[in-house]
Amino acid sequence: MIPAPLPANEAERLRSLRALAILDSAAEERFDRLTRLAQEMFQTPIALVSLIDSERQWFKSRQGLEATQTPREVAFCSHAILGEDVFVVPDASADERFADNPLVTGHPEIRFYAGAPLKTADGLAAGTLCVIDTVPREWSDLQGRVLRDIADLVEIELGQAHIESQQRALLALTEVTALSEEDPKELMRRALAVGSEYLGLPLGIVSRIDGDDYEIVVQVSPDNAIADGQHFPLGHTYCHITLTSDEVLAIDSMRESEWSSHPCYQAFRLESYIGVAIRVAGERYGTLNFSSPESRPGRAFSEADIDFVRLLGRWIATVLRRWQLDEKLRGQRRIAQVITRAQSTFIEREDRSLPFARLLEDVLDLTGSAYGFIGEVMQRDNGDPYLTTKAITNIAWNDATRAMFEAVGQDGMEFDNPNTLFGITLTTGEPVISNDPSSDPRRGGLPAEHPPMTSYLGLPIRRGSRLVGMLGLANRAEGYSDDMIAYLEPLVVTMGQLLDAASTIVQHRSDQESIARLSLVASQMTNGVLITDHDGRIEWVNDGFLRMTGYTADELLGRRPRDVLHGSGTNAATETLIRDSMTRREPFSAELLAYKNSGEAFWVALDSNPLLGLDGEPQGFMVMASDITDRKRVERMKSEFVSTVSHELRTPLTAISGALGLVSGGVTGELPPKALGMVEIAQKNSQRLAILIDDLLDMEKLVEGKVTIDSVVQPIMPIIDRAIVDNEAYAVKYGVKILSDERAEDTLVDVDGLRLLQVLANLLSNAAKFSPSGSTVRVRVRLGEAVVRVEVSDHGPGIPESFRESIFEKFSQVDASDSRQRGGTGLGLAISKELVERMHGSIGLASSPDEGSTFYFELPIATDDYSGA
């Protein structure tokens, strides 16, 4: 026996074969009918579709043979894939290459063999379509051509399998982008579940990596074999390999790879793995990875699998960034709420201890600390500093300390020992962090029976360069860090303001001086505040607004806010809302793109309320301004992700659809009817996915305001008549007619005709698609007061009451199951709503279960002259 040599391109050939994702798959009728055809055509007992793997030949389809595979070294097909033509062995027993082959000397006792090579889309040999007999046979050129023709049909099916692999990846990604979940962790968990199901790998993990520490942020696993929050040494995970590159790492069989001695394999025996590094805001975050204790024999990760993981990794990075920003914004909002509450309490209440007591409670709650204090730094006659408390947690541990708390209360305890952790801040003015006070050499010891202290943070409170107070916190389970110091900085600044104001009030009891100091506190709120007169000119601004915009007070006073903030990017509708609300002296809220004094753009949220005089008449406006740039950035990142996924999938899909179009058009030669039918099916599927991507891109452009509406005053009926004609052929496919029942001739509307046709096409195609065969879709045009209403009514199943509120949302479908009978992206109605509203109209529906639905839109009737041009 003479085994066949390996092809020169063996490595590339195997990659191309495994990219088909077909090895070890279940039997399929589309292949079996071709082997039956070959068996019948050549009257042979055996016909096979054989695929040549690295160590075996595996039969995707077999007739007349029980075995599913044989060793590659005895495979006749290993010889057949070396050439371009049909490989024929008339009598194997007389051929020195095969005479002593076990398949010749034993079962199935091969004597005759003819095999036509099968090529992948990139021209590399995958295997053969072969026929086998147990007696020697002659073979004619005509038989060779017929076998080749049938093999061409097998190649088409192999190509279709590859296309289906890409379609599955695209549909899985589309499912991910359509996920909706407020909690980022649960959103990522649902995305991991989609990925695990698509890849066939049960373990899915998003990890965070800090130095050598690997933390599971969120996971899916069978029976919760692993858990969120688990930690492992990085070197004991495959992610330590993944992080060496920005490319996707895909390992089909760890046992057969160079990483078989890796600690992760030795400990967990995870045989197959695919993962990619995640970068968030340009910084390494961790990894996205999927794995399984089962290897993938013969089924390598395909290009579609790798692209899926790469794109899912980018989506996960976007979610993580949004999560980071949301956490930061939530923290900032909580800080702002605490500051506002403290300032308001300080201004409203005569008792000056109450604001500090509430402020301490809020700080303990914000940080998760068990106890703490806020104190004012004073000076003794000899210049030594000491601390007198403004608020302190009652941690009395015996009768004496309980009596002290009852006698002194929160306000007035004094501490002056410099040889303690808090004494360091008192004497040096520097922050102190100690997450193990019991062994900290700086500790000064605690009184007997004092509750244990497991962690401590001491922060100086300053006004300018002066040390005016201290904040002390203790016993936070996670300990304290520099990040905590930065987080608390706005609160510490507010404490300094309140301490300074309280000290001034004690020294100056004059009403005028007290009011001035209280005004100073109000002016230093972190949010921007401005007050205008009744003409809308700025009379007063606080420091927060000056910091936000970079202007000085002199540059703002007397000017209108829109002259300062509004730029060319401000939406016209927002401008109109603000102007009309101020004219009517009504409250309003708006978001707009503003510009700092430096020219830097930033997003700001405005909340305005009229100020009423003693007579109840409006005297001006008070406007609160908040910087929402981070939130807008998160929204933009989400939109950019949809755009990235759509554009990156559009190019290969266009190539696939174009190639199939050329084949079906006969460029490569006339195809047999059955093969042509298969190609046309593949082409229709490609076109369906292209429509999905186009809808995604249309929706993205509408949301970002990139769609131009070229409105022209024109009659509405010609547009409706054209839409009916354009959609009649589509309705005929469903056995449905479209009729125009009621008309409004000569009614003018100011619309973009092409965009209105797009809206009507969506409504008419939906009505036809969901109507029973033999029914009629009716279009009615009715005039109302200053509006024209266009109705499209069908006789379909209707829209459930529970679904009507969300029917115009993106990806909304009454039947969103995999088995739904009607196709569609779930974007048509969302796009229609955006377009109608951009043309100053409104859209809605009326529906009754089992009685059909009526979708309608209303547009303002135009009064401009129409030339008829």
Side-chain angles (χ1 to χ4, degrees):
M1 184 180 73
I2 303 175
L6 293 178
N9 58 358
E10 176 69 1
E12 292 80 6
R13 190 193 71 79
L14 286 174
R15 274 196 294 271
S16 183
L17 167 65
R18 292 172 180 175
L20 296 175
I22 198 172
L23 289 170
D24 295 303
S25 61
E28 297 180 67
E29 175 60 20
R30 56 179 174 169
F31 290 100
D32 289 345
R33 63 189 175 193
L34 294 176
T35 51
R36 287 197 302 269
L37 176 62
Q39 183 185 40
E40 180 66 24
M41 180 69 69
F42 300 106
Q43 291 297 298
T44 57
I46 299 172
L48 307 169
V49 171
S50 170
L51 301 177
I52 305 300
D53 200 2
S54 57
E55 302 292 337
R56 60 174 179 158
Q57 69 167 342
W58 177 78
F59 306 129
K60 174 59 183 173
S61 177
R62 63 191 193 281
Q63 305 296 333
L65 188 67
E66 290 296 323
T68 59
Q69 63 184 33
T70 72
R72 177 174 177 173
E73 62 184 10
V74 302
F76 283 56
C77 298
S78 296
H79 294 264
I81 65 171
L82 298 176
E84 298 293 328
D85 300 326
V86 174
F87 180 72
V88 180
V89 181
D91 185 355
S93 64
D95 190 318
E96 64 177 358
R97 295 171 295 178
F98 305 106
D100 56 349
N101 186 307
L103 301 179
V104 176
T105 60
H107 184 75
E109 298 181 351
I110 297 175
R111 291 296 180 269
F112 171 80
Y113 172 91
L118 300 174
K119 300 293 184 70
T120 61
D122 44 10
L124 298 172
T128 71
L129 169 67
C130 63
V131 290
I132 296 171
D133 206 339
T134 57
V135 297
R137 292 179 59 159
E138 295 298 324
W139 185 257
S140 68
D141 290 342
L142 175 61
Q143 289 175 309
R145 289 194 298 272
V146 173
L147 184 63
R148 179 67 264 168
D149 286 343
I150 301 175
D152 290 344
L153 296 179
V154 176
E155 288 181 350
I156 290 173
E157 295 298 344
L158 291 174
Q160 177 66 14
H162 183 59
I163 291 171
E164 289 172 354
S165 173
Q166 293 178 319
Q167 290 175 342
R168 286 194 300 273
L170 176 58
L171 291 173
L173 284 169
T174 302
E175 183 178 354
V176 169
T177 60
L179 291 175
S180 177
E181 176 68 54
E182 287 295 323
D183 184 350
K185 284 188 70 172
E186 292 310 309
L187 181 61
M188 289 188 287
R189 197 183 316 280
R190 291 176 64 187
L192 287 175
V194 172
S196 290
E197 181 178 2
Y198 163 70
L199 293 166
L201 302 174
L203 297 175
I205 295 173
V206 174
S207 71
R208 175 167 46 220
I209 294 169
D210 183 10
D212 292 328
D213 180 61
Y214 173 97
E215 178 189 0
I216 297 176
V217 176
V218 61
Q219 54 76 35
V220 292
S221 59
D223 302 320
N224 291 318
I226 53 179
D228 297 356
Q230 275 189 275
H231 291 257
F232 300 93
L234 176 60
H236 290 185
T237 70
Y238 296 145
C239 295
H240 138 260
I241 313 169
T242 307
L243 293 173
T244 60
S245 168
D246 287 333
E247 296 301 315
V248 175
L249 174 67
I251 301 175
D252 312 309
S253 175
M254 200 65 67
R255 181 178 60 256
E256 299 175 2
S257 75
E258 60 182 301
W259 304 105
S260 58
S261 60
H262 193 278
C264 183
Y265 182 68
Q266 298 299 320
F268 304 108
R269 292 293 169 180
L270 294 174
E271 285 286 356
S272 50
Y273 171 92
I274 187 168
V276 68
I278 297 175
R279 302 186 76 84
V280 177
E283 300 292 329
R284 185 187 80 172
Y285 181 91
T287 64
L288 163 70
N289 63 85
F290 298 90
S291 57
S292 171
E294 304 294 331
S295 62
R296 297 164 66 91
R299 183 171 178 261
F301 289 106
S302 66
E303 292 179 10
D305 296 338
I306 291 171
D307 286 342
F308 172 84
V309 171
R310 180 185 297 110
L311 291 171
L312 182 58
R314 293 179 188 175
W315 185 87
I316 291 289
T318 302
V319 174
L320 288 169
R321 179 57 176 161
R322 188 184 70 190
W323 190 11
Q324 288 179 345
L325 293 174
D326 285 349
E327 288 292 314
K328 181 180 178 181
L329 289 172
R330 274 195 291 272
Q332 291 173 343
R333 282 197 294 268
R334 292 186 67 193
I335 290 284
Q337 290 167 353
V338 170
I339 289 173
T340 301
R341 176 180 174 183
Q343 292 170 334
S344 299
T345 306
F346 189 88
I347 292 170
E348 296 169 359
R349 305 298 289 267
E350 290 286 337
D351 181 359
R352 297 300 169 207
S353 64
L354 182 59
F356 293 105
R358 287 185 174 174
L359 186 53
L360 178 60
E361 291 176 4
D362 287 336
V363 173
L364 294 176
D365 181 57
L366 279 174
T367 61
S369 301
Y371 53 89
F373 64 84
I374 299 173
E376 183 178 10
V377 173
M378 312 290 285
Q379 302 287 329
R380 299 200 185 279
D381 292 341
N382 62 1
D384 290 343
Y386 70 97
L387 192 77
T388 178
T389 60
K390 292 294 184 181
I392 188 170
T393 307
N394 186 342
I395 55 169
W397 58 89
N398 56 30
D399 290 342
T401 53
R402 278 190 287 273
M404 180 180 66
F405 269 99
E406 291 174 4
V408 180
Q410 292 199 4
D411 189 355
M413 292 187 185
E414 294 185 3
F415 301 92
D416 59 2
N417 183 357
N419 301 315
T420 60
L421 290 173
F422 94 88
I424 297 172
T425 302
L426 183 64
T427 55
T428 67
E430 297 297 323
V432 171
I433 295 176
S434 180
N435 288 320
D436 188 11
S438 62
S439 60
D440 194 316
R442 300 171 295 176
R443 73 188 188 282
L446 296 172
E449 301 180 21
H450 188 288
M453 188 162 64
T454 58
S455 57
Y456 171 81
L457 173 65
L459 295 178
I461 301 173
R462 296 184 178 277
R463 288 290 287 158
S465 60
R466 293 185 300 120
L467 180 66
V468 299
M470 266 190 65
L471 168 66
L473 301 172
N475 288 20
R476 181 174 187 261
E478 303 90 339
Y480 300 98
S481 65
D482 290 335
D483 288 342
M484 179 64 71
I485 294 176
Y487 174 61
L488 293 174
E489 182 180 0
L491 273 174
V492 173
V493 170
T494 299
M495 291 176 191
Q497 296 167 358
L498 297 181
L499 286 171
D500 201 21
S503 176
T504 301
I505 291 169
V506 171
Q507 297 172 17
H508 307 282
R509 294 293 182 181
S510 156
D511 288 345
Q512 292 299 320
E513 290 178 333
S514 297
I515 292 172
R517 183 58 67 177
L518 294 176
S519 297
L520 175 62
V521 174
S523 72
Q524 293 176 336
M525 292 176 65
T526 54
N527 284 339
V529 182
L530 60 86
I531 295 175
T532 74
D533 61 17
H534 66 281
D535 288 327
R537 298 186 181 277
I538 299 173
E539 288 187 327
W540 181 89
V541 294
N542 75 338
D543 288 348
F545 190 86
L546 299 180
R547 286 192 299 271
M548 184 184 299
T549 62
Y551 286 94
T552 65
D554 290 339
E555 291 173 321
L556 295 176
L557 296 179
R559 300 178 65 183
R560 297 181 188 277
R562 68 168 177 268
D563 298 333
V564 179
L565 292 177
H566 304 201
S568 58
T570 302
N571 182 280
T574 302
E575 291 274 14
T576 301
L577 168 68
I578 294 174
R579 183 174 60 252
D580 293 347
S581 298
M582 294 189 72
T583 300
R584 294 191 298 266
R585 301 292 193 264
E586 294 176 351
F588 68 85
S589 296
E591 296 179 357
L592 53 86
L593 185 65
Y595 295 88
K596 300 183 180 181
N597 194 17
S598 63
E600 178 186 355
F602 71 107
W603 278 94
V604 63
L606 302 179
D607 290 285
S608 174
N609 287 280
L611 295 175
L612 303 180
L614 296 177
D615 58 357
E617 292 297 318
Q619 303 295 308
F621 287 85
M622 183 174 72
V623 182
M624 300 285 291
S626 304
D627 189 332
I628 58 170
T629 304
D630 283 343
R631 174 165 65 80
K632 288 292 185 179
R633 186 181 299 117
V634 170
E635 293 171 356
R636 186 177 70 252
M637 290 168 65
K638 179 179 179 181
S639 176
E640 288 173 352
F641 171 74
V642 174
S643 176
T644 298
V645 171
S646 300
H647 283 292
E648 291 202 19
L649 291 173
R650 196 178 199 179
T651 300
L653 188 59
T654 301
I656 292 168
S657 183
L660 290 170
L662 291 173
V663 173
S664 64
V667 171
T668 59
E670 185 177 353
L671 295 176
K674 290 186 178 180
L676 180 60
M678 297 172 192
V679 171
E680 288 174 345
I681 290 171
Q683 187 178 16
K684 287 178 182 177
N685 283 332
S686 299
Q687 291 168 347
R688 181 170 64 85
L689 292 173
I691 291 171
L692 169 61
I693 291 174
D694 288 342
D695 280 353
L696 283 170
L697 292 175
D698 278 350
M699 195 69 232
E700 175 208 356
K701 290 176 183 176
L702 281 167
V703 170
E704 293 187 356
K706 293 180 180 179
V707 172
T708 301
I709 302 295
D710 297 320
S711 293
V712 176
V713 175
Q714 55 191 302
I716 193 171
M717 286 311 304
I719 301 175
I720 293 172
D721 291 340
R722 178 179 168 186
I724 292 174
V725 172
D726 290 347
N727 286 274
E728 278 180 340
Y730 182 85
V732 167
K733 291 196 307 183
Y734 294 96
V736 174
K737 293 182 181 179
I738 303 177
L739 292 181
S740 176
D741 269 4
E742 299 180 27
R743 304 174 64 82
E745 305 292 354
D746 303 324
T747 300
L748 302 181
V749 287
D750 188 7
V751 296
D752 184 325
L754 291 177
R755 295 300 179 185
L756 190 56
L757 280 172
Q758 185 177 353
V759 172
L760 285 164
N762 281 329
L763 299 184
L764 290 171
S765 62
N766 277 352
K769 180 166 53 178
F770 290 101
S771 291
S773 180
S775 65
T776 300
V777 172
R778 302 189 181 276
V779 181
R780 300 180 178 92
V781 185
R782 296 173 173 173
L783 294 178
E785 184 176 350
V787 298
V788 58
R789 178 181 177 121
V790 180
E791 299 179 352
V792 176
S793 302
D794 62 47
H795 296 280
I799 308 297
E801 181 73 31
S802 60
F803 191 71
R804 292 177 197 172
E805 289 187 4
S806 60
I807 189 69
F808 292 101
E809 294 178 2
K810 290 183 288 186
F811 301 106
S812 290
Q813 292 179 314
V814 175
D815 180 6
S817 66
D818 292 338
S819 60
R820 62 178 182 268
Q821 297 180 355
R822 305 298 189 199
T825 64
L827 289 172
L829 290 177
I831 291 172
S832 298
K833 182 175 185 290
E834 288 284 339
L835 289 174
V836 170
E837 290 178 352
R838 293 282 292 277
M839 291 185 281
H840 309 293
S842 61
I843 193 168
L845 83 150
S847 180
S848 299
D850 301 323
E851 294 182 11
S853 302
T854 295
F855 283 83
Y856 63 85
F857 60 85
E858 294 181 345
L859 294 167
I861 297 175
T863 57
D864 294 20
D865 291 337
Y866 169 65
S867 64

